[in-house]
Amino acid sequence: MTASTLDSHPLHPPRIGPLEWIRSRLFPNLRSGILTILLAPVVVYALYRGALFFFVNGRWEVVTRNLTLFMQGTYPRGEQWRIVAQLMLLALALGVGTSTSAASRADIAREAGLTVGKRTPLSIIKRFWSLIVFVLVLLYFAATVTPWLVMAGTVAAFLVGTSARFIPSRFRNIGWTLAALILVAAFQVVVGTVGYSWMITAGVLAAGAWATFQFEGVEGRRATVYRTSVAVAAAVVAYFVYTVLVFPGVGWDHWSGLHLTLWVSAFAIVLSFPLGLLLALARRSTLPVLRWVSTGYIELIRGVPLITLLFMGQYILGFMLPQGTDPSSITRAITAMTLFTAAYVAEIVRGGLQSIPHGQTEAGLALGLPTGKLMRMIVLPQALRSVIPALVGQFISIFKDSSLLYILAIHEFLGVRSLVHAQPDFRVIAHAESLVFVAIGYWAFAYAMSKESQRLEVRLRAGKS
Amino acid sequence: MNRERAQVFADATEAKGDVIIEVEGVDKFFGDFQALKDINMNVGRQEVVVVIGPSGSGKSTLIRCINRLEKHDRGRIVVNGIELTDDLRNIQEVRRETGMVFQQFNLFPHLTVLDNITLAPREVRRMPKKEAEELGMRMLERVKIPEQARKYPGQLSGGQQQRVAIARALAMQPKVMLFDEPTSALDPEMIKEVLDVMVELADSGMTMIVVTHEMGFARAVANRVVFMADGQIVEVGTPEHFFTDPREDRTKLFLSQIL
Amino acid sequence: MLRAAGQVAAVAVIFLVLRWLIGNLATNYGRLNIGFDFGFLFRPTQFQIPNHPEFDPRSPVWRMVLVGVKNTALAGIFGVALAGVLGLIIGIGRLSQNWLAARLSSGYVEFFRNIPPLVVIVFFSFAVFLYGPLPHLREAIELELFGSDRPALILSNGEWGIPGIRSTGDISLYGILTLVGIVVAALVWRWRTRVTEQSGESHHRVLWSLGVLLVVLVGSYVALGGPFVVDWPQLSENRRRLVSGFSVNAGFMSVAGALGLYTASHVAEIIRGSIQAVPWGQSEAANALAFTNFQRYRFVVLPQAMRIAIPPLINQALNLIKNTSLAAAVAYPEITNLTQTSIGNGRPAVQSIVVLMAVYLAISLVVSLILNVVNRRMQLVTR
């Protein structure tokens, strides 16, 4: 046996040439080689037929001529400026939100003495490529220049929003409040002050006021009093403002197409989360009645398909409310979807709560924390962080399930096809093309969301030791 | 200096009979990181070689290359006359002749202890069930826990599980036994029972390559001690030479940290 | 103290809200003179179930419910079978060394997982069948086997005619003999397995069992003088319907096929995840013992992977069954579809929906029980 000598040996790993790559990946042994030989022609043929369908034979005029129907359905043509404004405001809110979150992560990293990864335009494109491709497809199908201008305006609004990173770190919370307010404004600009909009606005203003005025110097009871009074004041002001400033809009009963799909999903997600949280806590409650009721509710909802709840909403909900209040189809649908998703959110959160080691609760109790604070500050944050991937999965599910509104004859992204194919020109042709278009639309959003969830999962796991 | 060293090595090898494992000029890369740098080593029949070194030195990688759990990128490895190549048949032959004991035991949790031991003889060597079970019980007696035959691994202590793992590897009647830190995952009070089995195995004439931190074992049983660091073999010697009069500074540093 | 009061308050609130809701329901129903009873189940259905010419519209509603449940079960069984087989292949393909197989499997999963199942169902129903490349039944494609003048398959955009079985003798006796044959084949399986354990030679038990079964099936057929013949599909004189053969409805194929394809993507992910969840050391130990790839999968990896995979797989089966309710969008008369039609025809909505939910709850309950039993049986034995 000899000791090793370093001088005469190269130190690079052996490189793999293209021929070697083909051999090792496609023909490493006999069985694999046969598989390649069987699969390759099928793939080539499929690609060939696919290319024919997409670029040569396909009747894509069904999309080109009906693009507005797909995007916003039967939304009144004269009010389209509202949707454009909504798009810009949403981009603005997104810009504010993402830059605030990136900035606060940078703050934390700076305090810990670490560096944060750079975010280049190229990495963003790689991250959201499915959405970008979908938008490009839409622009391609659009006949006029206007969509391009709208797109440019949206991107500009986003960039303006990212200037929120210049807010000094002490006031970081204002960034979040601002984003929330802009989101509400985006909703209001289309909906006006009809219906439930003022309630939503008042609620968000109150929450925003609370978040903004942290009263960090003030402790205990007084802080709570201050915060509550600011919140109440904000709600009252909002109420008066909205009863005075009445301006018209287009209620969500008149929305359809992809526009409706996105908003219905957003509402179902946002509303189901607090409800699901409450249900999960109730299920662990010491009071038997609360436990039974919540368990019964969760098991009931999880045992039936969503469509039955949508039927309930459509046929029964009207009867459960006093005569005269007649919620629209969309309201019923959103209610049903929220109640449905909340049960699944509850189960996910319950799983998260169960996964927190009992030692955490014990440590908190040993420190003298009351149960409420213990829950809020120690157990819940950890539990929620650990189940974020599962929650996002559930939200993707509800986004896809919004397609069920088609069965209720509501014209969301899938359902608007009935209007498209009701036209004499498209009665019997181009069904495949319109369905492929719809499928690609859903896929682009769902894929982007699932990729984000995977990134989150990696980041959460990296955070754990 | 080199000639003197070579003399020691030659004595050690020839003293124990012909060569059963040849490792020649072996490099191994994980991506751009080089885990093994020009490893040259011969192991003779019935020799007990103990490999020590700091973590990350490549010692586990080395023995895992010997039964092809890792694939070496350059160089030759020959086991019992069979050279390790990409050819599956070669690999299978080599694996039949080498037994391995893992740090994490890796017993099959869904099978009983006896089934764990007899599965490979039955399926790989096509032994009839009765014969395999008799062999299995003999192996269990050899590791001193025949009464555990019908239990499941989950019901055994760590030391017992590792002994079952040794019995499982022995049941294939290998020519060489490879041990990858067999006691590192055990509670202190169970290390002795496993080491006792390994000592008995060495005394019975089995060729063994053992990666371990147990210096007492090395002193008692090893024919040779190999010290590796940073992917290279730094020093080799008999236990007497090695522990009392190491030559390389790196070796001295390591020994001072652990002894 | 405060907590307890808070919880009691919460209970009170829930109770009051429920009382208000149900109170309104009762009031409104009272105004409209609708009863709360389930008597409608015993009154005539008064509409025809599509593709079920044998169903008499005068039969009571509960019969319609049974037809719906049967159709739900049928689509569920075929869908689960398709999803299981396809999902297994794709799941293992994902882990293949062959780059092409791995990529295709990944592509399949990433595509189908991210689109709504309803889109797949509608695609099959409208783009593949109804407005698709196949002609109407009047001009149906008739595929003949070599040298025969009778069609073996009749393809149209609404239904397909496939060969069926027509009884010409004692077919029930044949059925019994088939069952006997299966039992004998199972015994042969056990015998061959035992032979291997004694002597160590290959058992070829699959060949032996299938061979024995084949002998029994053919022998019984001959012995009974041919108790059945093939019922070839045939169109009526005016080419408006199928008069013989077995008719497979396009709605059924859409729902079962689409859900099979969709759920297969989830099954593939579960199987891939469960195989990857088996600790790597297990594979290493198997490799060190000189197992072939096949042996390693069969004895070490798959048994452990199955333990991990079975609960989520059973969950997916339940999801598929619940997803058959999406047939309400196409012309397949399973229970949800029929309930919608029934309510449209004037049946009371609340009670109908209660019945509908009860059906699904019953199915969920049965599946949960199966899951619990399976889980308990598969627990690994520990200290």
Side-chain angles (χ1 to χ4, degrees), chain B residues 64 95 107 110 123 129 154, chain C residues 197 282 284 287 299 383:
Chain B
R64 286 152 64 89
R95 286 175 174 171
L107 291 179
H110 58 295
E123 296 298 330
K129 183 169 175 186
Chain C
E197 287 178 4
Q282 295 288 304
E284 290 205 311
N287 280 335
F299 294 107
R383 294 227 237 195

Side-chain angles (χ1 to χ4, degrees), chain B:
Chain B
M1 185 69 151
N2 274 342
R3 175 101 53 86
E4 213 176 66
R5 201 189 298 174
Q7 196 62 31
V8 170
F9 301 157
D11 286 344
T13 316
E14 280 161 24
K16 278 296 174 175
D18 53 340
V19 167
I20 192 171
I21 293 184
E22 289 169 56
V23 177
E24 193 182 306
V26 164
D27 291 332
K28 165 76 188 156
F29 291 88
F30 288 111
D32 280 333
F33 169 69
Q34 187 162 14
L36 293 177
K37 301 172 186 165
D38 188 31
I39 303 294
N40 293 285
M41 182 169 98
N42 288 348
V43 177
R45 239 170 253 284
Q46 302 197 326
E47 234 195 307
V48 175
V49 174
V50 172
V51 183
I52 63 173
S55 57
S57 55
K59 40 192 208 300
S60 286
T61 313
L62 175 59
I63 65 166
R64 286 152 64 89
C65 282
I66 293 179
N67 69 352
R68 198 63 164 195
L69 288 184
E70 300 284 354
K71 178 183 157 183
H72 59 280
D73 292 313
R74 273 197 208 100
R76 284 175 77 230
I77 299 182
V78 182
V79 177
N80 203 28
I82 309 162
E83 180 169 349
L84 269 179
T85 60
D86 282 335
D87 187 347
L88 259 176
R89 270 192 304 257
N90 278 2
I91 299 177
Q92 295 295 80
E93 264 196 87
V94 166
R95 286 175 174 171
R96 281 197 288 268
E97 301 305 328
T98 55
M100 183 169 236
V101 176
F102 298 86
Q103 182 178 355
Q104 302 294 335
F105 331 140
N106 290 335
L107 291 179
F108 305 134
H110 58 295
L111 300 175
T112 60
V113 161
L114 191 59
D115 284 336
N116 259 276
I117 297 176
T118 59
L119 187 65
R122 284 164 58 191
E123 296 298 330
V124 178
R125 292 205 190 276
R126 311 219 125 271
M127 208 182 272
K129 183 169 175 186
K130 220 153 159 270
E131 205 182 308
E133 289 196 343
E134 281 168 14
L135 173 64
M137 287 310 293
R138 280 205 306 275
M139 293 299 120
L140 274 177
E141 275 159 18
R142 196 167 168 185
V143 300
K144 315 245 182 344
I145 39 171
E147 70 282 1
Q148 309 288 348
R150 301 283 170 201
K151 294 217 184 129
Y152 284 87
Q155 297 171 289
L156 268 51
S157 73
Q160 289 170 326
Q161 288 187 48
Q162 192 62 300
R163 286 188 276 161
V164 171
I166 295 176
R168 178 176 69 174
L170 287 175
M172 287 291 280
Q173 296 161 318
K175 306 275 191 312
V176 181
M177 282 287 279
L178 306 169
F179 291 83
D180 187 0
E181 302 205 32
T183 55
S184 297
L186 292 175
D187 290 336
E189 64 270 16
M190 292 190 259
I191 295 181
K192 181 176 186 309
E193 64 195 57
V194 173
L195 288 179
D196 286 344
V197 167
M198 289 165 69
V199 167
E200 183 265 324
L201 199 57
D203 287 341
S204 73
M206 172 65 77
T207 316
M208 292 163 66
I209 307 180
V210 182
V211 173
T212 184
H213 297 300
E214 295 293 323
M215 300 302 153
F217 174 80
R219 275 208 171 105
V221 180
N223 296 114
R224 265 187 296 162
V225 177
V226 173
F227 173 60
M228 284 182 71
D230 298 321
Q232 298 169 256
I233 293 179
V234 174
E235 186 165 346
V236 185
T238 59
E240 300 80 51
H241 270 109
F242 197 88
F243 289 111
T244 52
D245 185 21
R247 287 194 179 77
E248 303 286 336
D249 289 329
R250 191 86 180 70
T251 319
K252 290 181 188 160
L253 179 63
F254 178 70
L255 288 175
S256 71
Q257 284 168 337
I258 61 162
L259 285 179

Side-chain angles (χ1 to χ4, degrees), chain C residues 241-254:
Chain C
R241 55 191 187 88
L242 277 170
V243 291
S244 68
F246 188 76
S247 164
V248 184
N249 170 246
F252 170 77
M253 285 191 281
S254 300

Side-chain angles (χ1 to χ4, degrees), chain C residues 59-353:
Chain C
S59 23
V61 171
W62 61 264
R63 271 203 183 280
M64 175 208 83
V65 171
L66 283 182
V67 171
V69 172
K70 181 201 80 167
N71 283 331
T72 298
L74 218 58
I77 291 174
F78 275 87
V80 166
L82 178 61
V85 169
L86 199 55
L88 186 64
I89 296 174
I90 295 177
I92 294 189
R94 244 334 194 120
L95 298 169
S96 165
Q97 272 186 317
N98 185 309
W99 179 87
L100 205 56
R103 275 281 170 232
L104 282 177
S105 306
S106 293
Y108 183 97
V109 169
E110 289 300 320
F111 176 67
F112 275 101
R113 268 210 314 177
N114 288 312
I115 58 176
L118 184 56
V119 170
V120 187
I121 292 180
V122 170
F123 183 84
F124 267 73
S125 191
F126 285 82
V128 173
F129 287 108
L130 194 54
Y131 299 116
L134 291 170
H136 193 266
L137 195 60
R138 279 191 302 274
E139 292 112 38
I141 300 175
E142 303 185 48
L143 295 175
E144 286 119 28
L145 289 177
F146 271 124
S148 157
D149 57 349
R150 276 149 150 238
L153 278 180
I154 296 184
L155 306 175
S156 80
N157 68 350
E159 58 187 309
W160 286 9
I162 64 175
I165 292 180
R166 193 174 61 233
S167 148
T168 56
D170 201 343
I171 200 170
S172 37
L173 188 56
Y174 188 80
I176 295 174
L177 286 172
T178 308
L179 285 174
V180 168
I182 292 177
V183 169
V184 171
L187 289 173
V188 165
W189 179 284
R190 283 188 57 189
W191 166 62
R192 291 300 306 176
T193 312
R194 204 164 304 147
V195 160
T196 308
E197 287 178 4
Q198 308 292 27
S199 66
E201 57 186 59
S202 316
H203 41 57
H204 299 303
R205 59 189 179 187
V206 176
L207 287 174
W208 273 88
S209 303
L210 283 180
V212 164
L213 187 60
L214 200 62
V215 164
V216 170
L217 287 176
V218 170
S220 316
Y221 188 85
V222 170
L224 288 177
F228 61 84
V229 287
V230 175
D231 192 17
W232 298 103
Q234 202 179 10
L235 285 175
S236 63
E237 276 300 316
N238 55 7
R239 296 182 73 87
R240 280 187 170 270
R241 55 191 187 88
L242 277 170
V243 291
S244 68
F246 188 76
S247 164
V248 184
N249 170 246
F252 170 77
M253 285 191 281
S254 300
V255 173
L259 286 179
L261 285 183
Y262 171 77
T263 314
S265 66
H266 289 274
V267 168
E269 266 310 273
I270 291 172
I271 288 182
R272 177 189 74 102
S274 68
I275 289 180
Q276 285 183 326
V278 176
W280 179 232
Q282 295 288 304
S283 290
E284 290 205 311
N287 280 335
L289 288 167
F291 283 169
T292 61
N293 275 352
F294 180 74
Q295 288 170 332
R296 186 180 76 238
Y297 263 91
R298 173 146 174 250
F299 294 107
V300 177
V301 176
L302 282 182
Q304 296 186 60
M306 278 301 114
R307 273 188 174 75
I308 301 174
I310 286 200
L313 283 179
I314 293 186
N315 205 29
Q316 279 305 313
L318 185 59
N319 276 344
L320 191 145
I321 295 177
K322 288 197 287 183
N323 276 337
T324 57
S325 61
L326 297 175
V330 300
Y332 181 62
E334 48 72 57
I335 185 65
T336 311
N337 187 317
L338 286 177
T339 306
Q340 202 183 22
T341 316
S342 154
I343 295 180
N345 271 320
R347 299 288 162 280
V350 177
Q351 292 92 307
S352 302
I353 295 179

Side-chain angles (χ1 to χ4, degrees), chain A residues 207-220:
Chain A
W210 186 8
T212 313
F213 295 95
Q214 287 296 296
F215 296 111
E216 293 207 339
V218 188
E219 286 298 307

